[in-house]
Amino acid sequence: MGDLAIISTAKSKDGEQSSIKCPMLNSTNYMVWAIRMRNFLKIHKVWSNVENGTDENDKNDVAIALLFRAIPETLVLQVGELNTAKKVWDAVRARHVGAERVKEARLQTLMAEFDRLKMKDTTKIDDFVGKLSELSSKSSALGEEIEEPKLVKKFLKCLPRKKYIHIVAALEQVLDLKTTSFEDIVGRLKAYEERVQEEDGNQEDQSKLMYSNAEQQSTRDSQDDRGY
C-alpha cells in the first residue's frame, strides 16, 4: 500500500467530483502518519472527538470510519470492537510507539557504527564497500535513507590516506561529488586499486630479481677470491 488511501469522493463548489485522500499507516511511518492524520481529522471536524473521547453520534462514527480506512486490515481486526475514535487512536498509538522507539534506538546504533567505520590499509575496496552498503540497506529498512552524496563523502573520507590521497584529490577536482553516483566513485577507486596492485607486483618481481642477481654476483666474487 502507498502513503495515501482514498477515503471517499465529494462534490466541490463547482459540482465536480474530487477524491479525498488520507495518509496510510505502515510499519515504518507512524510518527509522520500521526501528524498527517491529526490534520486530516481536523479538516473533517472530528479531531475533537478523538482528542476528548466523546462519542457524539455521527462525528464519532465518521472519525472511526476515517481511522479504519487509514490503517492496515490486520490492525482493523485488532481494534474493530472499540466504540470510540479515541480508543481506536490510543490503541493504534500503543501498538506503534513502542516499536517506533525500538526502531529509533536501532537506527541510532546503526548510524553510530556508520560514523565509526574506517577502512584499514589491508582491506580491499570491495569488502569495505560491502560493509557500507550493508549499513545503508539496514538504515533504509528502518526508514532512514542514507543519500548518495553522504555515502560518497563517507567512502572517500575513510580510504587510507597514504595509499589513496592522490586519487581522492584528483577526483575531488574533476568531479562534482554532490551529483556523482556511489557506484561511479567505487568503480574508479577499484580501477585505481587494481593498477596499484599491478605496480606493487612488478616492483616486487624486480626486487626479487635484483636480489637474486646480487646473490649470484656475491657468490661469483667469493669464488674468485678463493681462486676457484
Side-chain angles (χ1 to χ4, degrees), residues 149-179:
K150 186 173 182 178
L151 276 176
V152 169
K153 182 179 179 181
K154 176 66 177 178
F155 176 51
L156 294 179
K157 183 179 178 181
C158 290
L159 291 169
R161 184 174 178 82
K162 184 177 179 181
K163 188 175 181 180
Y164 292 98
I165 185 171
H166 298 298
I167 182 63
V168 170
L171 291 176
E172 289 176 342
Q173 289 181 1
V174 301
L175 297 177
D176 182 356
L177 298 182
K178 292 182 179 179
T179 58

Side-chain angles (χ1 to χ4, degrees):
M1 294 185 179
D3 291 335
L4 296 175
I6 297 176
I7 295 300
S8 61
T9 57
K11 286 188 176 181
S12 59
K13 292 181 179 179
D14 56 8
E16 294 183 357
Q17 292 289 114
S18 61
S19 296
I20 302 174
K21 298 181 179 180
C22 77
M24 187 68 194
L25 179 65
N26 60 43
S27 60
T28 62
N29 72 342
Y30 173 77
M31 293 300 184
V32 174
W33 175 86
I35 294 170
R36 290 176 174 171
M37 194 65 195
R38 186 183 300 117
N39 290 332
F40 184 81
L41 292 169
K42 285 180 179 179
I43 290 172
H44 288 272
K45 312 298 182 185
V46 293
W47 171 248
S48 59
N49 293 76
V50 177
E51 191 173 31
N52 300 324
T54 57
D55 56 355
E56 300 178 33
N57 306 326
D58 294 343
K59 283 192 174 183
N60 183 63
D61 292 341
V62 169
I64 291 177
L66 293 175
L67 286 169
F68 281 1
R69 292 296 300 272
I71 61 178
E73 291 182 1
T74 53
L75 191 52
V76 172
L77 293 174
Q78 296 175 38
V79 301
E81 298 301 317
L82 301 177
N83 59 4
T84 69
K86 178 175 175 55
K87 289 179 181 179
V88 173
W89 180 270
D90 289 346
V92 172
R93 181 178 184 278
R95 283 164 172 75
H96 283 80
V97 167
E100 193 73 18
R101 288 174 180 167
V102 170
K103 185 188 78 173
E104 185 65 27
R106 288 177 179 170
L107 188 58
Q108 288 178 1
T109 300
L110 196 67
M111 295 314 297
E113 183 179 354
F114 180 83
D115 291 338
R116 290 194 306 267
L117 191 62
K118 297 290 183 183
M119 181 175 169
K120 297 179 181 178
D121 290 341
T122 55
T123 302
K124 299 292 185 183
I125 284 181
D126 272 337
D127 295 333
F128 185 71
V129 168
K131 185 62 177 176
L132 273 179
S133 299
E134 179 185 350
L135 292 176
S136 178
S137 297
K138 287 181 178 179
S139 179
S140 297
L142 291 171
E144 184 74 21
E145 197 79 29
I146 300 179
E147 297 180 350
E148 271 202 314
K150 186 173 182 178
L151 276 176
V152 169
K153 182 179 179 181
K154 176 66 177 178
F155 176 51
L156 294 179
K157 183 179 178 181
C158 290
L159 291 169
R161 184 174 178 82
K162 184 177 179 181
K163 188 175 181 180
Y164 292 98
I165 185 171
H166 298 298
I167 182 63
V168 170
L171 291 176
E172 289 176 342
Q173 289 181 1
V174 301
L175 297 177
D176 182 356
L177 298 182
K178 292 182 179 179
T179 58
T180 303
S181 71
F182 183 57
E183 289 77 11
D184 184 17
I185 288 291
V186 170
R188 291 172 186 268
L189 266 297
K190 284 181 66 176
Y192 179 80
E193 180 186 54
E194 290 171 2
R195 287 199 298 271
V196 169
Q197 288 175 345
E198 288 176 2
E199 291 177 4
D200 289 344
N202 291 334
Q203 289 179 359
E204 185 178 348
D205 290 340
Q206 290 176 3
S207 296
K208 288 180 179 179
L209 179 61
M210 291 174 63
Y211 179 76
S212 176
N213 290 338
E215 268 198 330
Q216 292 175 10
Q217 184 62 44
S218 177
T219 300
R220 285 196 296 269
D221 291 344
S222 177
Q223 290 174 347
D224 290 342
D225 290 342
R226 295 174 185 175
Y228 293 146

